[in-house]
């Protein structure tokens, strides 16, 4: 919320309920009411469409199922459902609507802090109505602030777009290089089954909150490496012996949501662990196939494209079983060449990660700068 600083001469502070109209949206159901023309908004972004609208050029605030971005201005005609509410000035001769829209962008984090509930955050509307609105009495001054912020934010948005594009380009640089390496016509294409002894499903025993050994699961497969958070454990002596991971074991995510099935990670002896039944351990022929090369290949666009042709999908889950995994076509240089490729990929990946950190920090810095400018604007310091 606004800091407790004295406002400049000529500024007012009033409660939201005094100067603004707060209107709830209308309950609708996609199956019954859905259409194709106007987007439906509520607690977040557009969810489906309808053939009628009940708002136009609207400041929307989440009421139910709030996310951190709980305020937004939506241009054009829309339908506001009952999980959101709209806010507009009662008297546009007192408060300019564009000025109000920008102030709500500034107040977003405070409004989110008014949410109640653990599993689902809902807006505390009575407290929300007491929100303080700061504004100069002069409409001319309000419009001047809007003009300054619009111009400044246009420049910041352009900078954010450049940083975001550069971040995406950095990620695509690595994938492009990997794709080029794998597409080299010199390599023979073989089925994974030709360079692996077998594939093995993990433990089907129920995992525990505490135990002797961590059990790696679907969620621990992240970007070719294992994430060691949100761990479950096993006390099953037989499983802890049978499924204990060995250095350079490659784990394949056989069952998950469609965008995550087929993701693979390599075990680098971070700590003793076993693996769960939704994962597959690939037993490669070490004289033919390098573990890191296999891991890079299975996480490549080439492997994902093939996986999409054999995936079995239901509503929320997809599956690639061991039989299908063994039929994956893998380009196979010599073992010596595989190691050289891995070394180059690791060097490039290291440089890409450095670039990603730089661009991610730029995006964070620009977001913080926006917040700082808004703070000054609505404390009368602009």
């Amino acid at each position: 919320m606004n800091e407790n600083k004295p406002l400049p001469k000529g500024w007012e502070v009033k409660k939201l309920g005094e100067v603004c109209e707060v209107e709830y949206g209308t309950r609708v159901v996609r199956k019954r009411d859905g259409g194709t023309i106007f987007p439906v908004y509520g607690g977040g972004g557009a969810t489906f469409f309808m053939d009628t609208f009940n708002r136009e050029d609207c400041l929307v605030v989440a009421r139910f199922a709030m996310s951190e971005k709980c305020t937004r201005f939506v241009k054009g005609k829309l339908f506001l459902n009952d999980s959101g509410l709209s806010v507009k000035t009662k008297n546009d001769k007192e408060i300019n609507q564009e000025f109000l829209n920008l102030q709500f962008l500034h107040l977003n984090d405070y409004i989110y802090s008014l949410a109640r509930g653990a599993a689902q955050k809902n807006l505390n509307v009575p407290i929300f109505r007491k929100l303080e609105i700061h504004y100069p009495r002069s409409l001319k001054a309000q419009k001047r602030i809007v003009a300054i912020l619009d111009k400044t934010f246009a420049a910041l948005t352009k900078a954010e777009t450049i940083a975001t594009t550069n971040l995406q380009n950095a990620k695509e640089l690595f994938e492009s290089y990997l794709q080029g390496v794998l597409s080299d016509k010199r390599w023979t294409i073989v089925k994974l089954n030709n360079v692996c002894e077998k594939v093995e499903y993990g433990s089907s025993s129920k995992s525990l909150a505490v135990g002797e050994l961590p059990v790696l699961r679907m969620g621990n497969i992240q970007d070719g490496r294992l994430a060691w958070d949100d761990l479950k454990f096993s006390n099953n002596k037989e499983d802890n012996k049978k499924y204990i991971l060995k250095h350079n074991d490659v784990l394949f995510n056989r069952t998950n949501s469609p965008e995550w099935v087929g993701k693979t990670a390599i075990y680098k002896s971070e700590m003793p662990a076993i693996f769960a039944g939704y994962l597959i351990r690939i037993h490669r022929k070490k004289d033919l196939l390098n573990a890191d090369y296999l891991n890079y290949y299975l996480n490549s666009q080439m492997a994902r494209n093939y996986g999409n042709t054999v995936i079995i999908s239901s509503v929320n889950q997809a599956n690639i079983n061991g039989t299908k995994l063994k039929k994956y076509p893998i380009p196979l240089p010599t073992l010596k060449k595989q190691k050289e490729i891995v070394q180059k990929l690791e060097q490039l990946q290291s440089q890409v990660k450095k670039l990603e950190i730089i661009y991610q920090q730029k995006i964070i810095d620009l977001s913080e700068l926006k917040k700082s400018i808004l703070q000054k604007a609505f404390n009368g310091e602009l």
Side-chain angles (χ1 to χ4, degrees), residues 12-21 59 87-104 131-140 142-143 146 378:
E12 288 276 2
V13 179
K14 288 189 179 180
K15 304 295 185 187
L16 176 68
E18 295 179 77
V19 292
C20 295
E21 294 178 359
L59 174 58
V87 180
K88 65 179 181 179
T89 178
K90 288 181 177 179
N91 181 0
D92 60 10
K93 298 290 191 262
E94 181 179 9
I95 301 180
N96 175 270
Q97 184 67 42
E98 290 179 315
F99 180 88
L100 184 68
N101 296 341
L102 288 166
Q103 186 155 177
F104 266 72
L131 191 69
E132 288 186 351
I133 303 298
H134 294 189
Y135 61 97
R137 296 189 194 98
S138 165
L139 275 177
K140 184 178 179 180
Q142 292 179 32
K143 291 177 181 178
V146 168
F378 296 106

Side-chain angles (χ1 to χ4, degrees), residues 244-251 265-267 281-283 291:
I244 188 74
L245 287 167
K246 300 178 179 63
H247 189 74
N248 277 343
D249 272 349
V250 175
L251 297 175
I266 190 166
Y267 174 70
R281 170 161 54 184
I282 301 171
H283 293 264

